[in-house]
Amino acid sequence: MPYFDAASAAPLHPVARQALLASLDEGWADPARLYREGRRARLLLDAAREAAADAVGCRPDELVFTPSGTRAVHAGISGALAGRRRVGNRLVVSAVEHSSVLHAGESHAAAGGAVTEVPVGRTGAVDADAFTAALGSGGSGTAALACLQSANHEVGTEQPVAEVAEACRAAGVPLLVDAAQSLGWGPVEGGWSLLAASAHKWGGPAGVGLLAVRKGVRFAPQGPSDERESGRAPGFENLPAIVAAAASLRAVRAEAAAEGARLRALVDRIRARVPELVPDVEVVGDPVRRLPHLVTFSCLYVDGETLLHELDREGFSVSSGSSCTSSTLTPSHVLRAMGVLSEGNVRVSLPAGTAEEDVDRFLDVLPVVVAGVRERLGAPATSPAATPGPDSLVVDALGRRCPIPVIELAKVIGDVPVGGTVTVLADDAAARLDIPAWCEMRGQEYVGESPAAGGGVAYVVRRVS
Amino acid sequence: MPYFDAASAAPLHPVARQALLASLDEGWADPARLYREGRRARLLLDAAREAAADAVGCRPDELVFTPSGTRAVHAGISGALAGRRRVGNRLVVSAVEHSSVLHAGESHAAAGGAVTEVPVGRTGAVDADAFTAALGSGGSGTAALACLQSANHEVGTEQPVAEVAEACRAAGVPLLVDAAQSLGWGPVEGGWSLLAASAHKWGGPAGVGLLAVRKGVRFAPQGPSDERESGRAPGFENLPAIVAAAASLRAVRAEAAAEGARLRALVDRIRARVPELVPDVEVVGDPVRRLPHLVTFSCLYVDGETLLHELDREGFSVSSGSSCTSSTLTPSHVLRAMGVLSEGNVRVSLPAGTAEEDVDRFLDVLPVVVAGVRERLGAPATSPAATPGPDSLVVDALGRRCPIPVIELAKVIGDVPVGGTVTVLADDAAARLDIPAWCEMRGQEYVGESPAAGGGVAYVVRRVS
């Protein structure tokens, strides 16, 4: 049963399992105690810290273990902001950061801080110059902290971290890199100041994050603290899991070059074949500067939830950034920031060891599944009808969820003459993203939106072809 | 090799190990995902929550899993204080709470909040009436939150939780109970509002705490949050460890009555035999209203670090609240609040399954070890000399660490006549606790302290027998 959602959580690496088992017996005691069980635990903790620091590319005393990647991000951001309070209170983040970064930003804003979001282009990457400009250039306008992921968790695009780190150094702004998705593949290059990561993304166990804070970075841990983990991560150390995390990081790194190349080829195959096999698909993210194992695409006229459900029935576990698969019924903030189609969105992230046959079977199954969903939803044929009707039409899709507003639009666009308009009334949040994205894919003109009289939004599209 | 420090961390219970192993394979995926691996993880998480809630005595939707007991305490206190911000900002705690509670209190005070510490008697228990008085009686003086441990982690004394909970209910003040040391032995009785606990104290794995917040308690989680654990504990769930924690809680509870009675008898034996076997010992904590598995005593004229080291050499792992065993060189705040001797302090906490022979061997070894340490330190014979000298003597123990100031005092007390005084000059923090405690044990009169001319403190003792 192929599991293609390694970016959410990777299955436990055999080395992690082995190390966890061994340290359940050797590493359950309090490493702060002086008796033999405590000393043994301390040795294991020290060794794990050295191994992890080596993989991160920092000194052991710069690295602490946290209970998760999310907690590492939260502690890193709050501690770095507090350490730079005298400089200012502005946090700079990319618009496509992991939710843990954005939540920390919201928390900072709620406490009176400022947050600058740097937009991304259609591939999901920030522009290094735009990011640099957002840092400010000295004086009270200078950012207190900047955050940039090493690679995006939803579309796989790598960010220009080394370039941004250089700009941050020049501006005197510490840079926190969220390396959750990439640390298993290799160290983060460039002069970052803080780095956060999460073990269960590389095949380590849950319950372990890393936070590295370079010497010389002003850092004031927030909230109650204790004597553990240099005062940066309170609470009894989750030692067996820490040992397993460090051991598996070393193991996946040893395999990273070969396995990365193999998965990169499989992802290239998906990127090339999906648009050939499935009509009306947009493959998103940078095709080259990307994580080796991750690809995301969106299918017009398909709802993500049904698509995931059907793929699950066929044995494929994938995730989606479509609005209908989120608890808030809004599309993923990443897809929104990229301005790409969100309906029928599928993220495939291959765990290490993924079999080639499983990818091929996925490519066999996907077209059938998408066609089935489209048929049930009454999606339109690819070419619009040839007999033009009135100059303008209004489609009422109020109360209808993604992908229905786009399907209704596609059904009638051929009913207006070239130059005529279709106005779609919709109150589903995904429409704001998906109607312009449909226009771009179909070569039609997106005119704009305005509030609709009866509630919702009126989206106007002009037929140009 | 007998490990007698279960109160720091209990060895992993076989059921925890088994459950952890099983759920490494079944429970590594994201329980928020809808595919089969996610659904399986969600089922495991739901079942663990039900089992833990059942053991705690609350509803499953009142309980969340946190990364540690410390984090449960921190989240519980900050969330409850924020939820009651309109009522006031005063936190009431006992003086002998776990450091996680006191650290949360310090953090609260640093942010402008008030903290009232309720003192304890010589057994380590708070007086329920004194605790009630500290709650205030309506109006702006009413406490926002009260915290009381179910039983003390250093001396084992049970607190009058049910009585205090009743008083809190009457005063309209939520009560947070830190049940870290007792939850494995049974549920906390009484109408508490919040409860925190830690799995590795009952033989579960590290990395799991519990926080229960009763419905109706105003609670506003602080810091960044996400959609996990009802918004009260951000970050990917440590699922295999959570499953193991819940399974082992159920298992230790099934054994609690029998094993508790067995360990209680062993502790009674230690409590009775130690003062018979070792001269100049004070056994502390309530002899009856106490945890079944824990006993603490202090030995005059012995330094804790050497004692622990010697016991470790003999194969016994115990902990200590003596100043010389802490990184801050101050005696445990618990012993200080109780006003009992801190030098040569030993805490014995027996893990489930402790063999009777090991306890007996400990009782064989202890007198030899204590005598050896005393001999090396030049501790005085028990009876003071019979030939009185001058009316008053000054002993300069400046720069000398515990237990030297007390040893020097004991050496010369016989040199002054009854009615005469000995003044001890000392700058070790433990002297403040240990000189009065020595007086109480020896039937001498502690006159008081004053700043010494050359720095340090002058402690005056009058010989009365």
Side-chain angles (χ1 to χ4, degrees), chain A residues 142-414:
Chain A
T142 305
L145 175 67
C147 295
L148 184 61
Q149 61 198 188
S150 52
N152 186 267
H153 51 297
E154 286 192 31
V155 302
T157 300
E158 288 175 359
Q159 301 292 352
V161 169
E163 227 176 316
V164 165
E166 193 43 49
C168 284
R169 186 191 295 265
V173 177
L175 175 67
L176 183 149
V177 177
D178 170 13
Q181 290 297 335
S182 75
L183 196 68
W185 299 111
V188 175
E189 307 296 336
W192 48 265
S193 298
L194 303 100
L195 182 144
S198 171
H200 76 109
K201 305 288 191 192
W202 70 64
V208 184
L210 307 181
L211 173 62
V213 182
R214 293 261 192 228
K215 288 287 152 198
V217 173
R218 283 181 202 279
F219 193 82
Q222 296 302 287
S225 69
D226 58 22
E227 76 288 357
R228 298 188 187 269
E229 294 299 294
S230 309
R232 293 177 180 172
F236 192 80
E237 291 93 347
N238 187 2
L239 190 50
I242 286 171
V243 171
S248 55
L249 179 55
R250 198 198 291 260
V252 298
R253 278 293 185 78
E255 303 154 359
E259 187 61 11
R262 201 180 68 84
L263 294 184
R264 181 171 285 276
L266 291 179
V267 163
D268 279 337
R269 187 181 307 177
I270 298 173
R271 291 189 73 96
R273 295 291 287 145
V274 164
E276 294 167 8
L277 296 167
V278 182
D280 299 322
V281 159
E282 183 174 16
V283 180
V284 300
D286 195 296
V288 178
R289 291 199 55 169
R290 62 168 176 83
L291 292 167
H293 66 304
L294 194 155
V295 53
T296 294
F297 53 84
S298 299
C299 310
L300 265 182
Y301 318 138
V302 167
D303 80 291
E305 189 172 2
T306 308
L307 186 52
L308 256 55
H309 180 69
E310 294 298 321
L311 286 170
D312 179 50
R313 280 179 49 158
E314 296 287 338
F316 293 96
S317 300
V318 298
S319 75
S320 169
S322 292
S323 57
C324 52
T325 60
S326 81
S327 55
T328 54
L329 292 176
T330 54
S332 127
H333 70 275
V334 173
L335 301 177
R336 221 158 51 212
M338 294 165 68
V340 295
L341 186 72
S342 78
E343 67 187 37
N345 181 261
V346 172
R347 177 182 72 179
V348 171
S349 53
L350 308 176
T354 295
E356 189 176 352
E357 311 82 273
D358 285 337
V359 169
D360 287 339
R361 201 164 67 75
F362 177 76
L363 291 171
D364 290 343
V365 162
L366 181 72
V368 182
V369 164
V370 171
V373 177
R374 283 177 174 163
E375 195 182 334
R376 262 176 289 156
L377 286 170
T382 301
S383 317
T387 52
D391 266 9
S392 69
L393 274 177
V394 175
V395 174
D396 184 353
L398 289 167
R400 314 291 303 274
R401 294 245 174 270
C402 153
I404 300 300
V406 174
I407 289 179
E408 294 302 318
L409 164 62
K411 274 183 184 164
V412 302
I413 190 75

Side-chain angles (χ1 to χ4, degrees), chain B residues 281-338:
Chain B
V281 159
E282 184 175 15
V283 180
V284 300
D286 194 297
V288 179
R289 291 197 57 169
R290 62 168 177 83
L291 291 168
H293 67 304
L294 194 155
V295 55
T296 294
F297 52 86
S298 299
C299 310
L300 264 182
Y301 317 138
V302 168
D303 81 290
E305 190 172 2
T306 308
L307 186 53
L308 256 54
H309 180 69
E310 294 299 321
L311 286 170
D312 178 50
R313 281 178 48 158
E314 296 287 339
F316 293 95
S317 301
V318 299
S319 74
S320 170
S322 291
S323 56
C324 51
T325 60
S326 82
S327 55
T328 54
L329 291 176
T330 54
S332 129
H333 70 276
V334 173
L335 302 177
R336 221 159 49 213
M338 292 164 67

Side-chain angles (χ1 to χ4, degrees), chain B residues 71-98:
Chain B
R71 302 266 184 162
V73 163
H74 292 172
I77 291 178
S78 63
L81 283 171
R84 295 256 300 169
R85 202 170 274 148
R86 283 166 58 187
V87 175
N89 72 357
R90 192 163 60 86
L91 172 67
V92 175
V93 301
S94 91
V96 295
E97 295 300 307
H98 186 261

Side-chain angles (χ1 to χ4, degrees), chain A residues 5 25 35 37 39 317, chain B residues 5 17 25 35 37 312 317:
Chain A
D5 196 23
D25 298 325
Y35 43 69
E37 295 87 351
R39 295 194 303 270
S317 300
Chain B
D5 197 21
R17 193 187 167 91
D25 298 326
Y35 42 68
E37 294 88 351
D312 178 50
S317 301

